[in-house]
Amino acid sequence: MPSHDFRAPRLFIDAPLAQDARVALDRDQSNYLGNVLRLAAGAEVLAFNGRDGEWQAAIEGRKRPDGLVILQQTRPQDRLADLTYVFAPLKHARLDYMVQKAIEMGAATLQPVLTRFTQASRVNTERMRANVVEAAEQCGILSIAAVAEPVPLDRYLSQRAAGRLLIFCDEAAEVQNPIQSLQSAHEALQGIDVLIGPEGGFAEEERALLLRQPKILRLALGPRIMRADTAAVAALALVQAVLGDWGGESG
């Protein structure tokens, strides 16, 4: 696979991409290219849509950038590991940060769940999707993660596929070597769900419900209590290193 071009601006374009195709820019994209980056017609950017790979494209437009002409493919489309990040929503900037880091870590789906001690009862999924796209643009990511609507924890557990591994990051679990714990689950997996709870912890009935789930791995993230956004990075790094695609294999 060709190496990444970290110098060229990248744009997510919600349209089919193919050689010689022409696609229109929306107002925000036109403003970004013309007024923020000071690019004019003829300048080149990278475009991707999450389906057709990454493409070199040239800006078109007289007074301001208003479209792209697609030139040639720079990278073929890839596929994210089947990894869902399940989390109790946080407030505002910390949720933005957590979403961005989950995308950088390779999550394919973001699933907010509402628990008794969830800090934020209202979740702006459109803002989450904007953060997903921004993280993908900035980090050379080709696939766009799905953002699911928030659901109560019990409904999520009742609807999830039983064959998926549920990694329950539980601050009440006995501290053991997390690498060894994850290696014990290294078998033919039908997807992985990583669950981080609210900073107030799970209620006892919620923990009991979780521990009754099939194919569950209860995981402690070391001897220190982490904030939820820190725990997200730690947990996803561990999972990707042992069970995910950091070893060159997709899940």
Side-chain angles (χ1 to χ4, degrees):
M1 177 180 295
S3 60
H4 295 54
D5 182 350
F6 290 106
R7 296 183 298 276
R10 298 181 79 244
L11 281 183
F12 172 75
I13 303 294
D14 191 13
L17 299 177
Q19 190 167 0
D20 298 328
R22 282 177 162 78
V23 295
L25 296 171
D26 64 30
R27 180 178 299 177
D28 289 341
Q29 292 169 330
S30 176
N31 178 70
Y32 174 66
L33 293 178
N35 297 328
V36 178
L37 298 183
R38 303 291 185 182
L39 298 178
E44 293 185 354
V45 300
L46 297 174
F48 71 107
N49 61 7
R51 304 182 300 274
D52 300 323
E54 180 184 78
W55 294 76
Q56 188 179 33
I59 297 173
E60 293 186 314
R62 293 185 177 180
K63 294 184 178 181
R64 61 181 180 84
D66 57 22
L68 299 176
V69 56
I70 307 303
L71 302 177
Q72 61 182 355
Q73 190 178 65
T74 55
R75 287 191 288 159
Q77 185 62 42
D78 63 8
R79 181 174 64 88
L80 293 170
D82 189 359
L83 174 62
T84 297
Y85 179 57
V86 187
F87 60 96
L90 302 173
K91 294 181 180 179
H92 308 304
R94 290 185 59 209
L95 178 60
D96 293 345
Y97 172 88
M98 187 170 68
V99 168
Q100 292 163 6
K101 299 311 159 188
I103 297 309
E104 292 176 35
M105 289 289 178
T109 303
L110 304 181
Q111 174 62 71
V113 292
L114 305 178
T115 71
R116 180 186 291 187
F117 302 126
T118 295
Q119 293 181 351
S121 58
R122 302 180 67 180
V123 182
N124 187 338
T125 52
E126 286 306 309
R127 181 172 176 142
M128 286 178 58
R129 292 185 181 96
N131 275 298
V132 167
V133 169
E134 181 179 351
E137 287 178 334
Q138 293 179 351
C139 296
I141 297 169
L142 296 180
S143 297
I144 299 298
V147 176
E149 292 299 319
V151 294
L153 176 65
D154 57 351
R155 185 188 306 171
Y156 157 73
L157 292 174
S158 69
Q159 294 175 347
R160 64 182 297 273
R164 297 178 65 85
L165 175 65
L166 176 60
I167 299 175
F168 169 28
C169 298
D170 185 2
E171 71 276 7
E174 179 183 356
V175 176
Q176 298 177 337
N177 185 323
I179 300 292
Q180 293 178 356
S181 297
L182 289 167
Q183 286 173 336
S184 70
H186 207 308
E187 56 186 54
L189 299 175
Q190 299 175 31
I192 301 172
D193 299 335
V194 178
L195 172 63
I196 299 284
E199 294 190 339
F202 288 104
E204 285 306 311
E205 65 271 19
E206 292 171 337
R207 180 173 281 104
L209 178 61
L210 283 163
L211 295 178
R212 292 197 298 268
Q213 299 304 303
K215 208 164 185 179
I216 184 169
L217 174 63
R218 192 180 181 201
L219 190 69
L221 296 176
R224 287 164 291 278
I225 299 297
M226 301 178 185
R227 297 179 70 168
D229 43 357
T230 307
V233 176
L236 290 170
L238 285 167
V239 170
Q240 286 286 49
V242 180
L243 301 176
D245 62 8
W246 284 13
E249 298 177 359
S250 59

